[in-house]
Amino acid sequence: MIVFVIAMESEARPVIDKMQNAVESVVHERKVVRGKLNGKDTAVIVCGVGKTNAAAGTQYAIDCLGADKIINVGFAGGLNGGTEVGNVYCISGAAQYDFDLAAINGTSVGTLNEYSEPFMELAACALYPARKLATGDRFNDSIADFEFLTGTLGTDIRDMEGGAVAHVCKRANVPCYSFKVISDVAGSGSTTEQFLQNIALCAKVLGENITDIFEAVNG
């Protein structure tokens, strides 16, 4: 079964609203919705914001719901001219940019202890342009972060969950798909103001695309 792991209610609602026979419950203070999408069994876990919540929700999806594929969708920030507000992108690789064991392992920032390079490859979907994702437990307009993410790490999009979802899936050998709708773009004013202004647009776009995303992954 395909299970969606989604951080916030505002990001999950466009998916839940497309489901049939949806039944909601609360498990470990997280909303779990079981039902059908396009007539096929699926579930949504609204895991909460941040890497710990994302990892916990993903592990629950795999161990308790029997997920054989995970889809992570949500709103995210664009980092360069290759991303536009309201567009959907498929994540080809994800790194956790706030993970740093360089002093011990001599590896580059973002490289997890059990790996040799920062990016974890995600499952491909040709429906949308592919971009690289940086995940970290902070939302800010830091110039230092921006320079590191675009220069050293070479990423296009940033969020707070995708890299953690990918990490759990990689360890469990479960295919992980991630699709991000751009809510704000660095260098275009306050990302916070952009995010708040564009939430409704992003939800609309996600709702318009979710059945296509599901069918592409299900196929």
Side-chain angles (χ1 to χ4, degrees):
M1 179 172 71
I2 295 173
V3 178
F4 291 85
V5 177
I6 307 174
M8 300 186 299
E9 176 70 24
S10 58
E11 299 168 308
R13 182 48 53 187
V15 183
I16 296 169
D17 285 347
K18 296 287 185 180
M19 294 173 68
Q20 304 89 42
N21 305 321
V23 177
E24 296 187 6
S25 60
V26 176
V27 180
H28 305 314
E29 300 184 359
R30 294 176 175 88
K31 178 184 286 187
V32 178
V33 183
R34 296 175 176 84
K36 293 182 180 294
L37 189 59
N38 296 0
K40 297 160 186 169
D41 289 338
T42 190
V44 174
I45 297 176
V46 186
C47 65
V49 173
K51 295 195 300 179
T52 299
N53 282 325
T58 305
Q59 198 69 61
Y60 180 86
I62 295 169
D63 291 345
C64 301
L65 298 181
D68 53 24
K69 293 179 182 178
I70 295 289
I71 301 178
N72 168 240
V73 297
F75 314 149
L79 294 169
N80 55 43
T83 59
E84 295 183 18
V85 168
N87 282 5
V88 182
Y89 299 94
C90 176
I91 302 304
S92 59
Q96 297 180 40
Y97 71 90
D98 57 356
F99 190 96
D100 184 1
L101 279 182
I104 297 174
N105 292 343
T107 50
S108 57
V109 174
T111 304
L112 301 174
N113 189 45
E114 60 268 41
Y115 302 116
S116 58
E117 60 95 21
F119 286 97
M120 288 168 284
E121 185 177 359
L122 278 74
C125 176
L127 281 180
Y128 304 97
R131 297 290 185 270
K132 286 187 175 181
L133 177 73
T135 295
D137 276 328
R138 52 182 180 260
F139 186 108
N140 59 34
D141 282 314
S142 164
I143 294 176
D145 275 3
F146 172 76
E147 291 177 346
F148 174 73
L149 294 176
T150 58
T152 304
L153 203 55
T155 48
D156 309 291
I157 298 172
R158 69 183 291 187
D159 80 340
M160 297 179 68
E161 294 83 28
V165 175
H167 187 194
V168 172
C169 287
K170 184 174 178 65
R171 294 293 294 267
N173 197 31
V174 171
C176 179
Y177 296 80
S178 183
F179 302 89
K180 299 297 177 179
V181 185
I182 301 302
S183 58
D184 53 271
V185 177
S188 301
S190 165
T191 54
T192 301
E193 291 178 4
Q194 291 181 67
F195 175 79
L196 295 174
Q197 179 181 339
N198 293 320
I199 285 177
L201 169 64
C202 291
K204 178 177 181 291
V205 169
L206 187 55
E208 291 170 347
N209 284 270
I210 202 64
T211 55
D212 289 340
I213 287 171
F214 184 79
E215 283 305 311
V217 171
N218 189 66

